[in-house]
Amino acid sequence: MTQHEGARRPIIAVPAMQSAKVNGLRFSGAVVASAVIDAVVRAGGEPVIIAPNAGATIWHHVDGLVLPGGSDIDPARYGQAADETYAGTDFAGQDDADARAIRQAEELGLPALLICRGMQLWNVERGGDMVQHWQTPDLGHVGTVHDVTLAADSLAARVLGDLGTRETDAQGNDLVRIQVSSYHHQAVGRIGGGLTVTGVAPDGAVEALEDASKRILAVQWHPEDRAHELEVDQRCFDWIVAEARERMRARESGSAVVPNKTPPPPLLTKEEVMQSAVADGDVHIAVVAQLNLSDQNWETYELIKRFTTVTVETLRSLGATVSLVDVTDDATPNYEAIAQADGVCMLGGGDVDGALYGYDGPVANEYGKDPRSDERQLRMLRTAISQDQVMLAICRSSQLLNVACGGTLIPDLEPADLHRVTDGTGMFHDEEISLVAGTRVHEVFARERLTVRSGHHQAVAVPGVGLQIAARADDGVIEAVERIDNTWIVGVQWHPEDDDGAAADRLAMFNAFVSQARAKRALRAA
């Protein structure tokens, strides 16, 4: 436990829990347990409390994350109805806010300490579920101290192993035994994708999870309870602050990415983003996506998974039946079925091949180029135009819409600061754009200015035949195009499906699209 005076302390984000009543305040408040704050300070960190409604920009200015425990996670989040033991949060958006914090840590490569509810939520966000009330006859988990055994080769054991007892189980596995302070009645059930159980209680309760590709220490117990007096608990906070300091120094020295020796991500499957079974809607939407880029890393894997999942779930919430088409799959798409859909939503992805718009030079910052995906999507776009199909084309797909109409692209924006994060700490940020009056996009939002989520380095240069400009960025870059002679074919350069953006704007965009598809279906049936 060391103090670090003088030099800048690494900034540790600590998301607050919204409480309906706080002593001394006339209103609800966003609070963090002082034991957590004190432990971060003792470790040499600078804790910054993050309100549940904080924007995404703040995460580019912090060095690490500590997500404390708290109330139960809403069982609906993992597909269950709440039982009689459920004790939820005071704020309906708390689970979403904390999930965003975890997601930002994963996408930006922030080291993180996830405590109790934080670990549980990580598991749920990875597709796992919970045991709503864990109860065994021989061991209590509410207000108790009990043993936990850690896999000797785990991150938790590397952090705490010298403070525990080394032993070997009956199967010959090397373990580390420590004692922890416990306060929970829920427990991890089905394990989420990419996560490994590395710590268990004597009754089998999961006590530690990890993903080998992340610098995330996730524990079920509460190290803050005894951190002021026991090194085994304070060590968790010493670790997160030390990791955050390493990242801070790497950034200050000009290193864009903190080295992280990790295996490549697995192939993203359609099943992972089409998890929940839902009743058929009254309108069929085909979602076209690039699920696996040629140079996919963990950041793009998680972004594609999140954006595709949000798209699918948003469309379903608006009454649509969704089919998912992966244009990176070896199997040839069913073009006939796609053409029969009431609407087509094409998502973003990798760069568009310059040969398609007459550019044969080098492309700075090029990623994910896939000529086969380009050709497949161009075929779908041309069919949509010829058949007057309703379409929403996002980012890369809006660029392809322009190419399909004979337009050209800017291969690499320079400068690009307005359109993506350029300091190596991520990709997406907020951008202000202007909407063109009288266009379909302006009709959707009914205002002149819009804040959007942006993360692109290519853009429309010369609009293709039959397209009109519907939005521009403050530097003049085209941010939306739409077909003049089609009922509703709109291409937007930004990402309405990024749930770090405004939910109301996301719903407005997708609702307009689904409403047009529904109207087209009714017209065909008449």
Side-chain angles (χ1 to χ4, degrees):
M1 307 179 191
T2 57
Q3 297 287 342
H4 297 266
E5 303 297 340
R8 181 172 87 79
R9 291 169 170 246
I11 297 173
I12 308 299
V14 188
M17 181 155 284
Q18 193 81 7
S19 180
K21 186 174 182 181
V22 179
N23 187 35
L25 298 182
R26 293 182 297 117
F27 303 99
S28 63
V31 297
V32 173
S34 58
V36 173
I37 297 297
D38 292 345
V40 170
V41 172
R42 275 195 301 272
E46 190 70 54
V48 174
I49 297 175
I50 308 296
N53 59 354
T57 306
I58 186 66
W59 296 100
H60 295 282
H61 302 284
V62 304
D63 305 302
L65 164 69
V66 173
L67 182 57
S71 302
D72 293 352
I73 299 165
D74 184 354
R77 203 170 188 92
Y78 47 89
Q80 296 181 16
D83 68 13
E84 68 279 1
T85 67
Y86 173 62
T89 61
D90 290 346
F91 171 51
Q94 188 74 54
D95 290 348
D96 286 340
D98 290 346
R100 284 195 298 272
I102 295 172
R103 190 162 60 239
Q104 290 289 347
E106 292 198 291
E107 292 178 359
L108 299 178
L110 294 174
L113 171 61
L114 310 181
I115 298 171
C116 194
R117 162 190 162 86
M119 184 193 82
Q120 296 170 355
L121 188 57
W122 191 31
N123 183 64
V124 169
E125 291 306 291
R126 289 290 192 95
D129 68 7
M130 300 290 298
V131 177
Q132 291 191 48
H133 188 63
W134 182 272
Q135 192 170 16
T136 56
D138 300 323
L139 182 66
H141 286 267
V142 179
T144 62
V145 173
H146 62 73
D147 286 353
V148 165
T149 51
L150 306 172
D153 60 350
S154 65
L155 173 61
R158 292 197 297 274
V159 174
L160 305 171
D162 64 310
L163 302 174
T165 303
R166 299 274 175 175
E167 55 187 58
T168 303
D169 66 12
Q171 289 74 42
N173 298 309
D174 293 330
L175 305 172
V176 175
R177 184 178 299 274
I178 60 172
Q179 282 202 327
V180 303
S181 177
S182 181
Y183 201 99
H184 67 100
H185 81 104
Q186 294 191 314
V188 167
R190 183 182 67 249
I191 307 302
L195 299 181
T196 302
V197 176
T198 58
V200 294
D203 62 357
V206 174
E207 292 284 340
L209 291 172
E210 71 178 62
D211 177 336
S213 71
K214 305 295 180 186
R215 292 185 296 163
I216 296 179
L217 179 60
V219 299
Q220 180 62 73
W221 66 90
H222 284 268
E224 75 274 20
D225 286 1
R226 307 176 302 170
H228 63 289
E229 59 181 352
L230 293 181
E231 187 174 1
V232 71
D233 290 321
Q234 179 62 36
R235 180 74 67 81
C236 294
F237 296 94
D238 294 346
W239 173 84
I240 180 60
V241 171
E243 290 287 313
R245 183 176 294 107
E246 178 186 342
R247 184 178 190 277
M248 175 188 76
R249 289 172 176 169
R251 291 176 63 190
E252 290 175 347
S253 69
S255 300
V257 179
V258 177
N260 191 9
K261 297 178 181 179
T262 60
L267 288 177
L268 182 58
T269 66
K270 289 193 284 188
E271 289 72 24
E272 288 181 78
V273 293
M274 299 281 284
Q275 292 177 5
S276 57
V278 295
D280 288 344
D282 64 348
V283 61
H284 173 210
I285 303 297
V287 173
V288 179
Q290 283 187 302
L291 293 187
N292 295 286
L293 304 181
S294 58
D295 50 0
Q296 190 128 299
N297 57 30
W298 280 100
E299 181 182 17
T300 54
Y301 171 89
E302 286 159 0
L303 282 170
I304 291 170
K305 181 178 179 180
R306 174 160 66 94
F307 287 2
T308 310
T309 301
V310 169
T311 300
V312 169
E313 294 304 321
T314 302
L315 291 170
R316 285 173 168 172
S317 74
L318 294 169
T321 297
V322 179
S323 59
L324 180 59
V325 180
D326 176 14
V327 291
T328 64
D329 197 312
D330 287 337
T332 301
N334 186 338
Y335 294 107
E336 183 177 351
I338 298 165
Q340 292 301 313
D342 302 308
V344 178
C345 179
M346 280 195 177
L347 303 185
D351 285 2
V352 176
D353 186 359
L356 294 172
Y357 53 93
Y359 182 80
D360 59 2
V363 177
N365 302 304
E366 184 176 75
Y367 74 97
K369 186 173 77 172
D370 180 3
R372 184 178 67 175
S373 290
D374 292 344
E375 292 297 338
R376 288 174 169 181
Q377 287 185 252
L378 285 171
R379 177 172 171 177
M380 298 173 197
L381 283 157
R382 288 166 179 146
T383 298
I385 292 169
S386 66
Q387 295 186 359
D388 196 29
Q389 201 170 15
V390 172
M391 172 173 284
L392 173 61
I394 295 172
C395 194
R396 151 195 165 80
S397 295
S398 71
Q399 298 164 8
L400 278 168
L401 171 61
N402 188 55
V403 170
C405 296
T408 61
L409 303 181
I410 300 170
D412 184 61
L413 289 166
E414 183 59 45
D417 299 54
L418 280 181
H419 306 285
R420 62 185 177 92
V421 177
T422 58
D423 64 0
T425 60
M427 187 181 300
F428 290 84
H429 63 184
D430 290 344
E431 178 183 1
E432 295 287 328
I433 65 171
S434 296
L435 308 183
V436 177
T439 61
R440 297 170 181 85
V441 172
H442 184 270
E443 182 181 351
V444 170
F445 298 102
R447 58 186 190 267
E448 306 300 320
R449 297 282 285 175
L450 187 67
T451 301
V452 300
R453 293 292 291 169
S454 184
H456 64 100
H457 81 107
Q458 298 190 316
V460 170
V462 178
V465 176
L467 291 176
Q468 65 179 357
I469 298 170
R472 285 189 184 271
D474 289 346
D475 60 358
V477 168
I478 296 171
E479 287 287 332
V481 293
E482 52 191 44
R483 287 282 303 177
I484 298 169
D485 296 330
N486 288 95
T487 303
W488 207 90
I489 294 181
V490 171
V492 297
Q493 183 60 73
W494 69 90
H495 285 266
E497 81 281 22
D498 184 349
D499 56 350
D500 285 332
D505 290 342
R506 179 171 69 255
L507 286 173
M509 185 84 261
F510 282 106
N511 187 55
F513 165 61
V514 171
S515 296
Q516 289 291 330
R518 189 172 280 121
K520 177 67 72 171
R521 180 185 181 89
L523 187 63
R524 289 194 312 192

